[in-house]
Amino acid sequence: MDIHSEKILILDFGSQTTQLIARRVREQKVYCEIHPFNLAIDKIKAMAPNGIILSGGPKSVYDADAPKSDPALFELDIPILGICYGAQLMTMQLGGLVEKAAKREFGKADLEVKYTAGVFAGMETDHPEYQVWMSHGDRVEKLAPGFLVSAISEHSPNAAIRHESKPFVGVQFHPEVVHTIIGNDVLRNFIFGMCGCQSQWTMHSFVESAVKAIQKKVGDGRVICALSGGVDSSVVAALVHKAIGDQLTCIYVNNGLMRTGETESVLRFFKEKTGLNVIHVDACDYFLQELDGISDPETKRKRIGYGFIKIFEEEAGKFGDAKFLAQGTLYPDVIESISFVGDTVIKSHHNVGGLPEVMKLDLIEPLRELFKDEVRNVGLELGLPEEAIYRQPFPGPGLAIRILGEVSSERLEILRAADVIVLEEMKKSGLYRKTWQSFAVLLPIQTVGVMGDERTYEHVVAIRAVDSLDAMTADWSRLPYDLLGRISNRIINEVRGVNRVVYDISSKPPSTIEWE
Ligand code: XMP
């Protein structure tokens, strides 16, 4: 069922900023989807988008293996915005000429607007140039028949183009990038002015239509869901619960590797505040046994992963009538975007593996079309507490991969006590939400210290705090020295068995965020 009354289709030609285009469109409260450049024309017709954006891409339009649009795209009578490669491709496919530019443009450039309608509506021709972001080696040399120039830059006489009678526009610059000061205006003019969208994509409308779609799919069937306490699974549980109430059963597997008070707060919230049916499986002993004597990080991860599936299956098996499994798959996991390796176009399709393949249940993935910040907004819309919504990410294998060497209940206790201090101090300082992750790591070494008149020989705790946008890369956080000092003092004074605290100043890559 299509729950979107208006939408923009983004055809991906392999640009690194394609997802950013989608983010910008959605910020305007307009729903959009990214699809590979060669999405079949029948599918596009069936989708009936209000407008189409052709993304940038790393190829040259005149390369033999350059990705091309289906020419039928230009006969659909749907507004089209070509960005960089997209604009060049539109030019070439409609009969113009694109060539290698004598001078490539990378970075900031000044745009002089010559036509103040279409995507430049509301702008001025006598304006001192508008700053835009360019990144191209080719340029439009000769316009396709029927096209006119809308803006120029020093090295691009056709920096923006438009068709005189059809709703086709092209820009050489990247409106989706923040350095393009007029980027949002250009996109807004396209989406609202040219495509007639009306900002119907709000989290409120999303919840309403998702609830209807879940009810329709599930009927009177039973749904199960693995609740971890993380943002995604919490939002899925709350959303599905809103749709079908008692037909949803959540299974919370306590692996004993959670932080202080975590299990209790998740269970308390869901049981008391939402009336959600949560089965709490206490598997702490099982996981401790599975990890007994294991120091190798990969073995730890595997044992925890298999253990989780085994226990979840056992529990879910008790609901023989369950037909559906609800999962917190997000949009970045499902975007079927294209990428290039050398000269070959490859399709990288992420499937979220794991449970469903083993369990043969129908999937319900109501967050499939959302980005992380949208998931958070849905959570707020559903009344989840801010504390749960703005939680920093926490890895599935839990504290086991933050205890270097063997995991034991004693070592878990030390790490929990240190970790809770890090989190408390981060929250007090107001830096918790600004920091991607901040946590303690227990090292497998002991060092000499002195407390009172006594020599000590105890554990070392490392503090890890990183700034990141997506965890693919990360920089160590420049936490204030005073804050680090307080954390260190408190850990050494309050946590028995620790006499030294160190701060991790490595970035990813080459390090990773977690230590194992
Ligand atoms: P790394 O350590 O690879 O971590 O830089 C990147 C991000 O992923 C989280 N992480 C995990 N999350 N299961 C998860 O659900 C895992 O096995 C896992 N390992 C790492 C990590 O916390 C960081 O946010």
Side-chain angles (χ1 to χ4, degrees):
M1 186 175 81
D2 192 349
I3 58 174
H4 307 288
S5 50
E6 61 175 28
K7 66 175 87 65
I8 297 288
L9 167 64
I10 298 166
L11 291 177
D12 180 24
F13 289 87
S15 167
Q16 306 219 338
T17 55
T18 302
Q19 281 209 26
L20 212 49
I21 304 172
R23 297 289 320 113
R24 297 285 171 262
V25 174
R26 294 221 187 159
E27 276 164 18
Q28 300 302 327
K29 300 192 168 52
V30 172
Y31 180 70
C32 65
E33 286 180 16
I34 300 173
H35 286 274
F37 67 92
N38 54 2
L39 181 68
I41 207 81
D42 287 346
K43 289 200 175 149
I44 297 179
K45 279 188 194 160
M47 198 185 266
N50 298 57
I52 298 172
I53 297 179
L54 311 178
S55 84
K59 291 279 178 177
S60 279
V61 290
Y62 46 73
D63 284 348
D65 56 355
K68 303 231 168 52
S69 309
D70 186 330
L73 194 69
F74 302 104
E75 276 146 36
L76 295 179
D77 202 27
I78 297 176
I80 298 178
L81 165 64
I83 295 177
C84 196
Y85 181 93
Q88 295 166 5
L89 188 71
M90 183 156 63
T91 297
M92 192 192 81
Q93 289 197 286
L94 294 177
L97 185 67
V98 173
E99 281 185 341
K100 204 166 248 354
K103 196 151 171 60
R104 307 193 306 174
E105 276 182 300
F106 286 103
K108 288 174 192 162
D110 287 330
L111 191 78
E112 200 182 323
V113 172
K114 297 287 186 194
Y115 173 74
T116 56
V119 291
F120 297 110
M123 292 175 217
E124 297 159 16
T125 45
D126 55 356
H127 188 277
E129 290 84 5
Y130 295 105
Q131 182 188 304
V132 296
W133 187 263
M134 297 276 199
S135 173
H136 64 113
D138 295 347
R139 69 178 198 185
V140 172
E141 286 301 332
K142 191 166 142 268
L143 298 181
F147 275 83
L148 301 164
V149 179
S150 299
I152 61 171
S153 73
E154 188 185 351
H155 300 293
S156 297
N158 301 312
I161 55 174
R162 68 183 192 280
H163 194 279
E164 58 188 353
S165 56
K166 295 181 181 163
F168 300 155
V169 284
V171 291
Q172 185 56 71
F173 58 90
H174 287 268
E176 70 278 20
V177 173
V178 286
H179 311 289
T180 297
I181 307 291
I182 52 167
N184 271 339
D185 298 317
V186 168
L187 288 173
R188 285 171 57 88
N189 281 332
F190 178 67
I191 299 165
F192 301 121
M194 293 182 63
C195 304
C197 293
Q198 291 175 345
S199 286
Q200 293 175 359
W201 169 249
T202 62
M203 288 308 117
H204 182 72
S205 68
F206 169 80
V207 169
E208 275 186 358
S209 38
V211 161
K212 281 191 202 134
I214 294 167
Q215 287 166 338
K216 186 160 182 229
K217 178 160 182 182
V218 171
D220 58 3
R222 173 163 295 285
V223 182
I224 49 177
C225 171
L227 185 64
S228 70
V231 181
D232 306 343
S233 76
S234 299
V235 172
V236 167
L239 186 58
V240 177
H241 182 249
K242 185 177 169 78
I244 56 162
D246 283 350
Q247 286 164 254
L248 171 69
T249 303
C250 288
I251 300 173
Y252 178 88
V253 178
N254 182 0
N255 57 15
L257 305 167
M258 308 301 273
R259 292 165 293 189
T260 309
E262 201 154 32
T263 297
E264 296 75 10
S265 75
V266 172
L267 294 180
R268 197 179 324 116
F269 171 75
F270 276 105
K271 278 199 170 143
E272 288 173 10
K273 292 273 172 22
T274 69
L276 183 80
N277 189 8
V278 187
I279 296 184
H280 173 199
V281 187
D282 184 345
C284 300
D285 292 342
Y286 168 83
F287 280 96
L288 263 187
Q289 251 167 28
E290 281 295 296
L291 291 173
D292 189 34
I294 307 291
S295 300
D296 176 60
E298 278 314 297
T299 315
K300 279 185 194 173
R301 281 172 177 278
K302 282 199 183 110
R303 291 202 173 196
I304 296 166
Y306 291 143
F308 175 78
I309 291 180
K310 176 178 169 303
I311 290 172
F312 186 81
E313 269 189 297
E314 275 171 20
E315 285 304 316
K318 295 177 186 166
F319 299 90
D321 59 338
K323 288 202 182 68
F324 302 94
L325 179 77
Q327 279 204 154
T329 313
L330 303 195
Y331 197 43
D333 301 325
V334 296
I335 295 176
E336 215 186 310
S337 44
I338 61 161
S339 50
F340 292 84
V341 173
D343 271 349
T344 325
V345 180
I346 55 158
K347 238 186 193 178
S348 54
H349 193 142
H350 306 265
N351 259 330
V352 187
L355 290 170
E357 284 144 49
V358 196
M359 302 189 50
K360 313 230 175 334
L361 291 166
D362 258 0
L363 280 186
I364 300 202
E365 298 174 305
L367 311 182
R368 270 181 81 84
E369 54 197 25
L370 302 189
F371 288 102
K372 189 87 179 180
D373 53 329
E374 293 172 326
V375 172
R376 292 202 163 102
N377 289 334
V378 170
L380 292 174
E381 175 75 29
L382 290 166
L384 290 174
E386 289 214 355
E387 193 188 299
I389 298 295
Y390 292 105
R391 258 173 59 116
Q392 292 176 353
F394 184 66
L399 298 181
I401 57 168
R402 294 179 182 172
I403 293 179
L404 276 62
E406 290 182 26
V407 178
S408 64
S409 37
E410 295 76 34
R411 305 190 75 208
L412 274 164
E413 217 167 289
I414 294 176
L415 182 57
R416 278 199 187 103
D419 195 70
V420 86
I421 292 173
V422 176
L423 291 183
E424 273 173 22
E425 291 298 331
M426 287 297 292
K427 284 179 184 169
K428 257 195 242 164
S429 72
L431 290 173
Y432 175 82
R433 276 203 204 171
K434 292 191 193 125
T435 310
W436 176 263
Q437 276 173 291
S438 47
F439 54 87
V441 180
L442 184 61
L443 305 191
I445 48 168
Q446 284 171 275
T447 66
V448 173
V450 56
M451 277 194 198
D453 293 332
E454 300 269 329
R455 172 187 185 276
T456 58
Y457 187 56
E458 293 178 329
H459 297 289
V460 182
V461 162
I463 308 301
R464 180 73 164 143
V466 295
D467 298 329
S468 174
L469 285 177
D470 53 11
M472 301 299 287
T473 61
D475 196 9
W476 60 277
S477 304
R478 272 49 171 186
L479 295 184
Y481 282 174
D482 285 352
L483 172 63
L484 287 169
R486 268 196 308 282
I487 292 175
S488 164
N489 270 344
R490 280 196 59 194
I491 291 177
I492 291 168
N493 286 329
E494 296 173 33
V495 182
R496 262 179 191 259
V498 177
N499 69 356
R500 193 174 297 270
V501 171
V502 296
Y503 189 50
D504 179 354
I505 52 167
S506 11
S507 291
K508 172 184 182 173
S511 303
T512 50
I513 297 175
E514 305 288 347
W515 277 43
E516 285 196 336

